[in-house]
Amino acid sequence: MERIPILRMGQFLLVTIQIDLYDRLALDLAADLVKTASKTGARGILIDISAVDIVDSFMGRILSNIGAMAKLIAAETVVVGMQPAVAITLVELGLPLNGIHTALNVEKGMALLRSKIAGIAGETDPNND
Amino acid sequence: MATEIIKLLKDKQAIILERWMENQLTPARVREDLISSDDLRADSVALITALVSNLKEKSLNDTDSADFNPITELLGSISFSRAKQGFSPRETGLFIVGLKEVLIAVIQEEVKDPRQLVDLSLKIHRLMDNLLIITFETYIKGREEVILAQTDEIAEISIPVIRVWDGILALPIIGTLDSARTQVIMEALLTEIVESSSDIAILDISGVPTVDSMVAQHLLKTVSATRLLGATCIISGIRPEIAQTIVHLGIDLSSIVTKSTMASALQHAFQLLRLEVYKRTPANASHVKPE
C-alpha cells in the first residue's frame, strides 16, 4: 500500500507530498503523522505541498484536522509552499485553514516552527492572528 | 434601359467622384483631424471603382450575390477603420449618404423621362441603402472591438504589483472591485508573492471609490489566500468615509491588519521584518540606513 514518508529531523517531522492525494492516502497520512508525532515527541510538523496542484474540500479539511490534532499533542503544524491556484481554491471553498500556520517555503517554515517552539511570540511570526 | 445605371456610372465616374469629394469636403463635414483629404479621396476612389467594376444589373439590389463581395469587403474595412479613428456614426453614415445624393443628382441631369427617372432613382436608393446598412453593421463591430480592447487594457493596467522593499509587495487597487477583478488581482498578487518569496503584501484601497459588503468580502478572500501562502496581508488606504461605511454595514475586518495610509502600512511591514529606517544626522552618521 502506498504511503507518504514521514521524515524526522530533530524535534520536527517533515512531510513532502509529491503525488496527488486521494482520500484514503490523506486519511492515512493524518493518522500516521499524529502517531509518529506522539511516539517521537515531535514539537513541530512541516508539510510541504508545493507539488500539489489540486485540492478539494476534503484535502482542506484533512489539513485542518492535522493541525488541530497536532495541537492536542503539543505540536505546531506549518504548511509550506502552497501554490497560488490552491490558495484561491481553498478560499473559494470557504476553507481559510485558520488553525494551521503557513509559510512561503521550507526555510521560512522551519524558522517559523523554531520561533514557535522557542516561545518567541509576536513579531517573528507574521501569521500570528 | 436595363444596363443604364451601370453605363451611366461608368461614363460619369469622374464627375461623380469630383462632386462626391466636393460634398465631403464641405467645411461642416470635413474632419481634417481624423483623416487627411488624400486618404479620404483614396477611400472614395476605391469605393466608386469597386462599385463600377463589380456591379451587374441583375444583382444590383441583391446584396447576397457574389458580385457584392468585394464591395462589402471594401466598405467594411473603410467603416471599420472609421470606427477606430473615432468618427461619429453620423459622419460615417454621411460618407455613403453623400454618394447617394450625388448619384441621384447625376441621374436627374441625365435621364429626362420621368418614369425612367423614378425607376432608376428607386434602384439607386435601394442599392445605397443596402450599402449604408453594411456600413453601420461594420461600424458597430469596429466600435465594439475598440470597447473590448479598452476593457482589456483597463483590466491589465489596474493590477501593478510593486516590489517596494525586499520582501514587501504593494498593490494599489484603482477602481471598483468586482469578483472578476478580485480574481485577477488575487492571482497576480499570489503569483508575485511566490515568485519573489515576499513575506508581506500591502493592499492599498485608497483608489477604491466605495466599499460595500461585497468588496469587503473580496478583500477578506484575498487576505485569506495570502495567509494560506504564508505571507501577511496589510490593507491600507482606508479613508474616514470608508471606515464609517464599514462600521455601519457591520463588516468585521478585525482579523485583518488595516492602516489608514500606505506609509503607516509600510512602517508596520518594516516592524514585522524587524527593519528600521533612520534619518541620518551628524550624531549618528555612522548609522547606515538599512538596505
Side-chain angles (χ1 to χ4, degrees):
Chain A
M1 202 173 90
E2 220 173 353
R3 275 198 185 277
I4 292 174
I6 298 170
L7 313 174
R8 189 178 164 197
M9 201 179 117
Q11 290 183 297
F12 307 126
L13 296 182
L14 296 180
V15 178
T16 307
I17 300 173
Q18 288 174 343
I19 48 170
D20 282 336
L21 272 188
Y22 48 91
D23 295 359
R24 185 73 240 160
L25 195 59
L27 282 171
D28 286 349
L29 174 66
D32 281 356
L33 260 178
V34 182
K35 241 183 263 169
T36 321
S38 80
K39 202 166 68 190
T40 58
R43 302 290 312 278
I45 298 171
L46 188 136
I47 305 173
D48 175 25
I49 59 164
S50 53
V52 175
D53 294 322
I54 303 162
V55 286
D56 54 14
S57 53
F58 187 76
M59 255 295 287
R61 242 190 57 212
I62 293 285
L63 285 176
S64 283
N65 285 353
I66 292 176
M69 291 189 272
K71 198 116 201 170
L72 287 175
I73 52 171
E76 297 287 343
T77 309
V78 176
V79 170
V80 303
M82 191 182 288
Q83 298 285 333
V86 172
I88 293 174
T89 316
L90 284 177
V91 170
E92 294 294 338
L93 288 172
L95 288 167
L97 304 188
N98 281 324
I100 56 173
H101 306 291
T102 48
L104 281 168
N105 48 40
V106 176
E107 198 184 337
K108 287 182 179 171
M110 288 303 263
L112 180 63
L113 274 182
R114 281 199 196 95
S115 71
K116 285 274 167 205
I117 287 165
I120 306 166
E123 55 201 72
T124 51
D125 172 22
N127 298 303
N128 203 5
D129 291 330
Chain B
M1 171 203 135
T3 55
E4 225 160 326
I5 289 186
I6 310 295
K7 196 166 159 291
L8 202 69
L9 273 177
K10 268 189 187 140
D11 293 345
K12 300 284 172 191
Q13 192 173 344
I15 296 173
I16 293 172
L17 177 66
E18 279 323 308
R19 286 219 210 156
W20 188 22
M21 286 310 296
E22 210 175 284
N23 177 312
Q24 290 186 79
L25 290 175
T26 49
R29 288 196 184 177
V30 72
R31 287 298 297 266
E32 284 283 358
D33 53 332
L34 297 178
I35 190 168
S36 71
S37 54
D38 287 344
D39 287 343
L40 190 62
R41 192 179 190 90
D43 281 351
S44 311
V45 171
L47 185 61
I48 290 193
T49 321
L51 276 177
V52 171
S53 53
N54 290 297
L55 279 188
K56 305 249 163 37
E57 205 57 47
K58 62 175 166 38
S59 59
L60 198 57
N61 287 320
D62 175 20
T63 39
D64 291 333
S65 84
D67 294 341
F68 257 93
N69 287 347
I71 302 171
T72 318
E73 228 165 77
L74 179 72
L75 202 54
S77 75
I78 290 176
S79 68
F80 201 75
S81 62
R82 292 286 155 99
K84 294 211 161 169
Q85 284 158 348
F87 277 86
S88 73
R90 183 191 175 81
E91 285 156 350
T92 313
L94 281 177
F95 178 66
I96 296 299
V97 173
L99 177 60
K100 180 165 142 179
E101 279 168 17
V102 172
L103 283 181
I104 298 289
V106 168
I107 285 177
Q108 253 172 354
E109 283 161 24
E110 295 299 317
V111 182
K112 297 299 170 216
D113 176 28
R115 292 193 54 168
Q116 210 181 349
L117 179 63
V118 170
D119 190 46
L120 283 180
S121 345
L122 269 180
K123 277 190 179 167
I124 291 285
H125 268 295
R126 233 176 270 151
L127 169 70
M128 297 313 289
D129 289 349
N130 277 333
L131 293 185
L132 195 60
I133 290 169
I134 294 170
T135 311
F136 264 97
E137 272 174 355
T138 40
Y139 176 83
I140 287 170
K141 255 184 226 156
R143 287 301 275 241
E144 271 167 7
E145 231 164 73
V146 171
I147 293 169
L148 277 180
Q150 284 171 342
T151 318
D152 286 350
E153 220 164 273
I154 291 169
E156 258 172 44
I157 56 168
S158 60
I159 44 165
V161 184
I162 308 160
R163 214 178 287 192
V164 276
W165 207 269
D166 200 21
I168 304 175
L169 295 179
L171 194 144
I173 304 175
I174 316 280
T176 36
L177 261 185
D178 53 22
S179 35
R181 270 195 80 200
T182 315
Q183 196 77 19
V184 178
I185 287 173
M186 216 196 276
E187 262 165 43
L189 180 64
L190 297 189
T191 317
E192 191 59 33
I193 287 177
V194 170
E195 257 167 38
S196 63
S197 70
S198 303
D199 292 306
I200 291 159
I202 303 171
L203 273 184
D204 188 84
I205 58 163
S206 41
V208 179
T210 48
V211 173
D212 54 16
S213 41
M214 277 311 282
V215 173
Q217 189 71 31
H218 294 320
L219 286 176
L220 284 169
K221 267 187 192 168
T222 313
V223 174
S224 301
T226 36
R227 202 198 70 87
L228 280 177
L229 288 188
T232 313
C233 194
I234 305 169
I235 293 190
S236 76
I238 303 204
R239 298 190 303 266
E241 317 80 271
I242 288 187
Q244 279 182 23
T245 351
I246 287 176
V247 172
H248 280 305
L249 289 172
I251 301 164
D252 182 22
L253 291 182
S254 59
S255 56
I256 306 176
V257 184
T258 52
K259 298 281 170 195
S260 63
T261 61
M262 179 70 122
S264 49
L266 197 57
Q267 202 156 28
H268 183 78
F270 282 153
Q271 266 172 24
L272 288 177
L273 292 178
R274 292 179 176 171
L275 293 171
E276 266 181 83
V277 181
Y278 291 101
K279 181 173 187 175
R280 218 186 260 212
T281 58
N284 64 1
S286 58
H287 256 129
V288 182
K289 249 202 254 175
E291 285 298 319

